[in-house]
Amino acid sequence: ALSAYSNKKFDEAAETFKNLQVDHPQSPELSYSTGTTLLSSGKMAEGRALLESLKKLNSVPGSDLEALSDFNVAGSYAEAKELDIAQQRYATLAQSLQKKPLRTPNQEQMLLETQKRIEQINKKQQEQEKNSDKNKDKNNDKEKDKDKEQDKNKDKDKGKDKENKEGKDKNS
């Protein structure tokens, strides 16, 4: 399974991990590996569900494995462009890691990476807002141009009506 995963054969690796889980259903490490592999293969819902269920299997709440699972679930939402959910998940993870008086080096590194991801999401959301505002301005400009064009056409039509009326008056 690890060989297939390292060769980016995620579907094959996921199947192998799932088969191993049949024999070891209570293994948090195997659940983590399977869930992460499912995320990598694009099976987001299935991978997230498995990683979420890891909390029930994990005999040591707040462990590195649980934090890694939370980190990967948050990342899957970011990858799917569900930035609000990703940001919320990363923020929750950062809070739980910050509350720990004694963090392992892995947890310290994860906290730093989590904070970095939150900043990246904030920047993306700000860019999206700017782009949205620019698009609104462009649409407003287009609407104004349309209105001006319609006004010109109305004026032309009024001029034609006036000419036609004057032409009829002369012929009478």
Side-chain angles (χ1 to χ4, degrees), residues 32-53:
Y32 171 79
S33 296
T34 307
T36 300
T37 303
L38 288 166
L39 291 179
S40 296
S41 70
K43 297 175 182 166
M44 298 299 187
E46 190 178 357
R48 287 176 189 150
L50 194 54
L51 290 173
E52 294 285 349
S53 72

Side-chain angles (χ1 to χ4, degrees), residues 74-124:
S76 73
Y77 283 108
E79 190 175 315
K81 307 272 188 269
E82 297 179 54
L83 299 181
D84 290 337
I85 297 171
Q87 184 179 39
Q88 180 184 9
R89 293 297 192 111
Y90 281 130
T92 300
L93 175 59
Q95 287 173 346
S96 70
L97 289 170
Q98 286 171 334
K99 287 180 185 176
K100 291 178 178 278
L102 299 172
R103 290 187 284 273
T104 66
N106 286 342
Q107 291 170 339
E108 192 64 39
Q109 182 61 38
M110 189 176 308
L111 176 58
L112 293 173
E113 187 61 32
T114 300
Q115 290 168 333
K116 189 169 116 179
R117 298 278 176 103
I118 291 170
E119 288 174 24
Q120 289 171 341
I121 289 172
N122 287 338
K123 285 180 184 178
K124 281 183 183 178

Side-chain angles (χ1 to χ4, degrees), residues 1 4-5 9-22 30 33-35 37-38 41 43 46:
Y5 187 88
K9 296 179 181 177
F10 301 121
D11 289 329
E12 181 183 324
E15 283 307 310
T16 304
F17 281 130
K18 284 180 181 180
N19 290 335
L20 289 170
Q21 266 192 300
V22 171
L30 198 50
S33 296
T34 307
T37 303
L38 288 166
S41 70
K43 297 175 182 166
E46 190 178 357

Side-chain angles (χ1 to χ4, degrees), residues 54-154:
L54 180 68
K55 292 178 184 176
K56 296 173 190 165
L57 295 176
N58 197 358
S59 59
V60 186
S63 70
D64 286 353
L65 197 57
E66 186 175 325
L68 281 169
S69 294
D70 290 341
F71 185 83
N72 287 340
V73 168
S76 73
Y77 283 108
E79 190 175 315
K81 307 272 188 269
E82 297 179 54
L83 299 181
D84 290 337
I85 297 171
Q87 184 179 39
Q88 180 184 9
R89 293 297 192 111
Y90 281 130
T92 300
L93 175 59
Q95 287 173 346
S96 70
L97 289 170
Q98 286 171 334
K99 287 180 185 176
K100 291 178 178 278
L102 299 172
R103 290 187 284 273
T104 66
N106 286 342
Q107 291 170 339
E108 192 64 39
Q109 182 61 38
M110 189 176 308
L111 176 58
L112 293 173
E113 187 61 32
T114 300
Q115 290 168 333
K116 189 169 116 179
R117 298 278 176 103
I118 291 170
E119 288 174 24
Q120 289 171 341
I121 289 172
N122 287 338
K123 285 180 184 178
K124 281 183 183 178
Q125 288 177 322
Q126 288 171 352
E127 288 172 11
Q128 286 176 346
E129 286 176 17
K130 282 182 185 178
N131 290 338
S132 176
D133 290 344
K134 285 181 183 177
N135 288 338
K136 284 180 186 175
D137 290 344
K138 282 182 181 179
N139 288 338
N140 286 340
D141 290 346
K142 285 181 182 179
E143 285 297 318
K144 286 178 185 177
D145 290 346
K146 244 187 204 179
D147 290 344
K148 285 180 183 177
E149 190 64 33
Q150 286 175 348
D151 288 344
K152 283 183 185 178
N153 289 337
K154 284 181 184 176

